[in-house]
Amino acid sequence: MPGYFWRRFRTDMHLRLPLSGLALLFACALHAQDRFTVSGYVNDSTSGEALIGASVFVQEIQKGVPTNTYGFYSVTLEAGTYTFVVRYIGYADLQRTVVLNADRKLNLLLRPTVTEMKSVEVVGEKRVSNTESTAMGRMDVDVQKLQTLPALLGEVDILKTIQYLPGVKSNGEGNSGFYVRGGGPDQNLILLDEATVYNASHLFGFFSVFNADAVKNIELIKGGMPANYGGRTASVLDITMKEGNSKEFHGQGGIGLISSRLTLEGPIVKEKSSFIVSARRTYIDVLTKPLINKDSQFAGSGYYFYDINAKANYRLSDKDRFFLSGYFGRDVFTLKGNEPGSPDFNIPWGNATVSGRWNHVFGPKLFMNTTATFSDYKFRFDGGQDEFKFKLFSGIKDYGLKVDLSQYPNVRHSLKYGAQLIRHIYTPSTVDVSSGDTEFNIDTPSKLNANELAVYAMDEFDITDQLRMTAGVRLSAFAHIGSFREYLLDDEGNATGTRDYGAGSTVKAYQGLEPRLALRYRLDNTSSLKASYNRNLQYVHLASFSSIGLPTDVWIPSGKNVKPQVGTQYAAGYFRDFADHLFETSVEVYYKDMENLIEYAEGAQPQDNGNTNYDAQLVFGNGYSYGAELFIKKRTGKLTGWVGYTWSKTMRKFPDINDGKEFPSRWDRRNDLSVVASYELNKRWTFGATFVYSTGQATTLPVQRYWIEQRLVSQFSERNGFRMAPYHRLDLAATLLNKETKRKKDPVTGEVTEVPRKYRSSWTFAVYNAYNRSNPYFIYFDTEGSIGNGDLRVVAKQVSLFSVIPSVTWNFHF
């Protein structure tokens, strides 16, 4: 009997399913015929630049979508007549009436409402409401007019602006390094046109490698990281270069106290292809050379850095666009000892990146971007004294391929999915030592090869008008592969033999799931609650001997002993707008767990990597961080700016450090306050000011000193058991813009009229550390007195880098 009923059920279903399936398909087809898609690009009307994050809003349904990184948007609606309103900070609103009875392509041009040299909002969300999106801990930095803010030595620095945001901490006086929600410097993914930048600073961290004149948009994500990003556990800093003016030729630049810069851009084929080239160089070495006597001990010594950005794009068709961009930068520090026995060394280091991207529109609802990237970071130290020669070099090189697809089913729903493959080639600290004709037999570590693969999918969906969800998952895998020589070590770390892995063979492999979830619940038109959860895996690590980012820091892969870092973060927040979105506020709280962190063992040195494994000097541990962040911002008007405050606690625990007891991280700053303001007095004068305050840096100091056998022996505190004095500083700036017009006399009639200038220029006067605060950079100990007199004592002395520093910069645009 059961068999009879099963056969009858299958027969009935075979007859009914085709009929019901056809009916369903027919109903869907009829419904689809009533829905059509409007898609296209939003661009600047004067330059042709794509506008990232512009809001395309449909008034009739009170919903909208943002444009993507390439200015593309897609909206699917039922047939009818709609009013589209397009908004973008610094541009006039554009309103279009669209009669929708078929799929339509609609490219939109927005007109700037301010001149290029005029002050605009520095940090914003491109008019996408603070309360609408599911994004948490996400900020865009508009770099059009960073020149109005004070800067060290007049050198505009994008990364220092990032440090003014809550949850982002500075690494110290003048340093461009940044640390996000308790994470280390290696836990920030820094992308330049989707290529990874491994060392983002010049001059040992005092200036960033990013020339603001060549950059169009910066997006910082410090919480709720979307699934299309991976490989780091703390944050993403996604930097997009300008595309170049496709309508007419322009140039801009500046001359400052320590460097000058020049940017040229224009069409290759008008309104179809464009280019931009930007270069920058310091000239401290050139200016000081005539002042140094040829017979001086250090004549010929010097330091300089330079960088070059270039980008070109070509519109192959209405559906295809190609972009090619590159960056090359170098620091060179040289010390020439001209006396017998004096040292002589040369230290060059720097980054190179290349990105090739192809956009293709498959249809009004499907957009694809394919990216091929190359990234190379190198450091080299060549030094010597008399016949002794010492060389140290390290680096990392990446080859990457990535495909991203964006799908827009309807106005309430958007999908994104893709895959990424990266080939890593690491050069750990490699040592070469010789004395005269004698070369020391030091086995240099072989280059380390690894493959990293990831696939992801994410969905942003309006469940109801109040509840929006962004859910995603990323599946990543990593393999350390040969060729590789492993040293077999005994319990004391001495090599007893070797094991060789052939080319392509797997030394160690890891994989894991990285779920991401963000929710937004809208309380009313001006406020919302948000929450997010994300788990991130990081397969590359930065081994550092210093608390500041130095070029001697070494990138290493996960392997047999080095496990992938795991970061798990929970966050929640309340977001509210006031006075018709003139003011935006938010309060966020977060908790983050960090596993498999690395540090160098106490006493380790970079030159000790010979004849041993690359991970032999490392120790491993875990950490956690939690805190609260407050952000208040005034968006527009004569006075703009923000106040950011963070309270946080960041701790570490390593079995081999501090006797296994928990200790504060070197980046633990309990209180951090930033105030940024810009005031436009009139069309020519703009004033800027920044104030920062933070708890002093945690450090380890000796608590007692003993004389033992004529030697001074120190007993130290627990790891990071002391705090330096608090850090605080006020910077001021004033920018004077030349007149927009000039007088011109008609040679025939003698009539004098006002005509626009062909070029614009401005002077920026700035004062760094206006009230001359002596902020601590580091503390060292010295002795005063003598044993013979019985008054020998050890005293702590503070080193401060900068007092009041005035600067002046001339900027121009033509």
Side-chain angles (χ1 to χ4, degrees), residues 781-802:
F781 289 84
D782 198 4
T783 58
E784 294 182 355
S786 66
I787 299 177
N789 295 331
D791 61 350
L792 179 69
R793 64 186 183 278
V794 179
V795 294
K797 296 185 178 181
Q798 173 182 299
V799 174
S800 300
L801 285 184
F802 303 122

Side-chain angles (χ1 to χ4, degrees), residues 73 613 637 656 785:
Y73 74 95
N613 296 321
D656 298 306

Side-chain angles (χ1 to χ4, degrees), residues 120-142:
V120 297
E121 182 188 38
V122 175
V123 175
E125 284 79 37
K126 305 290 191 298
R127 293 291 296 269
V128 175
S129 174
N130 177 51
T131 61
E132 281 299 303
S133 73
T134 58
M136 295 187 64
R138 183 181 297 188
M139 281 293 177
D140 292 288
V141 177
D142 193 325

